[in-house]
């Protein structure tokens, strides 16, 4: 089920497309919105994201058995993120969660919550847990780091170094927007995510992605916890130190009118535009300070100093290491 945010009626709102359909891409001034977000002002409407709640006295010990993260002793109010892997260790779901003392709240990529709930329900067995899709009732709103906006009393807040994610009742979304203005579109949010090298499910991932390729070992995987689905792959690749691909940050040639987009091929510059691809662009953005930038997934054996070209226009791209080979 998809949702169209009521904030699309705000002045200047331009609807986003693709995975962010349902909220605003921007409100008329992309770079102004980026600067505001970087300065800790405004808010981002992420009400298209899925919202799950897991309650019951076994919720943390049960989730600990299923997720890549150590959550069995997660203190109330402490934010974390976790993955659900396939039996072969490929990333299937990414969860951004916090426990409020009675319930684990998490948000997920838009449209993925139904499949995630189906998997969780299949693993309930005798555990004392209740799983609920709260997407129709709650909307996610992001406040940037440094924001002085106070969430409404009783709001579940997930606080990270990048800012605070609020789980707001959908009925209060419009009134919150009036109090927390200015509204900032998801294009600005995505540009800062690319700048911070943070991977996103469905953008930086494909059907064979493993956590090591994207740097998720540092943020979403605990290497010293017990068994979970896909853990054998995580341990084996971590011990060998050789994931097949690695995430890179690209500085793109700013003279091009068009910048590469998700799925566009990445090649070594020395091989030319007809050369064999060594990877693909995952997310690109126009940054208010850095200019055109992107994240890309390339083969591990691509030299870290190799000049690259991206997209069908063979846009020159200088790489920065995100995940070391």
């Amino acid at each position: 089920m998809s949702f169209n945010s009521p904030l699309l009626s705000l002045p200047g709102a331009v609807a986003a497309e693709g995975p962010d359909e349902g909220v605003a891409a921007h409100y008329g001034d992309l770079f102004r919105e980026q600067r505001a977000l970087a300065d800790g002002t405004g808010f981002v409407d992420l009400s298209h994201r899925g919202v799950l709640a897991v309650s019951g006295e076994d919720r943390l010990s049960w989730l600990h058995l299923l997720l890549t993260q150590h959550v069995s002793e997660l203190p109330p109010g402490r934010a974390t993120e976790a993955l659900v892997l396939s039996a072969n260790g490929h990333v299937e779901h990414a969860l951004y969660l916090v426990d409020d003392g009675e319930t684990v709240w998490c948000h997920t990529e838009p449209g993925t919550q139904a499949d995630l709930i189906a998997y969780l329900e299949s693993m309930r067995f005798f555990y004392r847990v209740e799983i609920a899709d709260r997407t129709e009732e709650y909307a996610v709103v992001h406040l940037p780091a440094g924001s002085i906006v106070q969430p409404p009393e009783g709001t579940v807040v997930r606080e990270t170094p990048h800012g605070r994610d609020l789980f707001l009742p959908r009925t209060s979304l419009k009134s919150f927007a009036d109090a927390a203005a200015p509204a900032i579109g998801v294009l600005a949010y995505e540009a800062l995510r690319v700048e911070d090298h943070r991977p996103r499910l469905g953008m930086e991932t494909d059907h064979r992605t493993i956590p090591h390729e994207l740097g998720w070992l540092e943020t979403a995987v605990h290497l010293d916890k017990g068994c979970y689905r896909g853990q054998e792959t995580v341990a084996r690749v971590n011990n060998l130190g050789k994931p097949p691909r690695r995430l890179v940050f690209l500085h793109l040639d700013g003279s091009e009118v068009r910048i590469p987009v998700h799925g566009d091929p990445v090649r070594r510059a020395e091989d030319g535009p007809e050369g064999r691809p060594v990877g693909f662009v995952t997310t690109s953005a126009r940054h208010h300070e850095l200019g055109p930038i992107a994240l890309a997934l390339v083969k591990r054996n691509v030299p870290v100093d190799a000049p690259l070209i991206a997209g069908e226009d063979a846009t020159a791209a200088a790489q920065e290491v995100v995940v070391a080979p």
Side-chain angles (χ1 to χ4, degrees), residues 27-282:
Y27 294 89
D29 192 335
L30 175 61
F31 290 155
R32 177 190 61 79
E33 293 170 33
Q34 284 188 33
R35 287 191 290 269
L37 198 60
D39 289 342
T41 58
F43 73 96
V44 184
D45 176 14
L46 299 177
S47 61
H48 59 319
R49 293 185 65 81
V51 176
L52 278 71
V54 181
S55 57
E57 57 187 288
D58 292 338
R59 66 190 183 281
L60 291 175
S61 58
W62 175 70
L63 285 170
H64 186 79
L65 300 173
L66 305 177
L67 305 181
T68 57
Q69 188 59 274
H70 196 299
V71 296
S72 61
E73 300 170 7
L74 185 68
R78 179 178 296 176
T80 191
E81 57 187 272
L83 308 173
V84 172
L85 306 181
S86 73
N88 293 323
H90 300 139
V91 178
E92 292 189 342
H93 294 282
L95 297 76
Y96 302 86
L97 53 93
V98 66
D99 185 81
D100 68 1
E102 297 181 351
T103 301
V104 174
W105 293 82
C106 62
H107 62 83
T108 66
E109 284 299 317
T112 65
Q113 65 269 21
D115 287 343
L116 175 57
I117 288 174
Y119 169 67
L120 295 177
E121 288 284 2
S122 73
M123 302 300 291
R124 280 182 62 183
F125 303 120
F126 54 83
Y127 291 95
R128 293 164 293 184
V129 296
E130 296 294 331
I131 308 156
D133 184 349
R134 307 300 296 273
T135 310
E136 292 191 28
E137 304 156 72
Y138 285 87
V140 179
V141 170
H142 176 77
L143 294 174
S147 171
I148 62 172
V149 173
Q150 293 300 312
E153 187 176 353
T155 301
V156 176
V157 178
R158 180 180 175 273
E159 186 164 2
T160 76
H162 305 289
R164 290 172 289 167
D165 297 335
L166 314 183
F167 294 86
L168 286 178
R170 285 190 178 272
T171 54
S172 64
L173 186 57
K174 198 72 182 290
S175 60
F176 177 83
D178 294 338
I184 294 170
V186 290
L187 286 183
Y189 181 82
E190 284 289 278
L192 299 192
R193 178 182 69 80
V194 172
E195 179 189 14
D196 291 337
H197 308 163
R198 288 180 281 140
R200 179 180 177 185
L201 185 79
M203 299 300 291
E204 278 62 58
T205 66
D206 58 19
H207 66 284
R208 58 193 180 97
T209 300
I210 59 176
H212 317 65
E213 297 175 325
L214 303 183
W216 258 329
L217 290 190
E218 286 74 28
T219 60
V221 177
H222 195 287
L223 294 173
D224 296 324
K225 61 167 285 188
C227 187
Y228 52 88
R229 192 173 71 173
Q231 191 239 359
E232 295 84 357
T233 298
V234 170
R236 182 173 67 253
V237 177
N238 184 62
N239 291 332
L240 292 175
K242 294 183 178 180
R245 302 176 297 181
R246 59 185 181 88
L247 189 68
V248 297
F249 177 79
L250 300 179
H251 291 274
L252 301 170
D253 181 0
S255 66
E256 299 287 347
V257 174
R258 175 188 179 275
I259 63 173
V261 297
H262 175 77
D264 277 355
V266 173
R267 299 177 172 91
R268 293 182 60 167
E270 65 181 33
D271 297 332
E274 303 301 322
R276 185 170 186 154
V278 296
F280 65 95
V281 173
T282 59

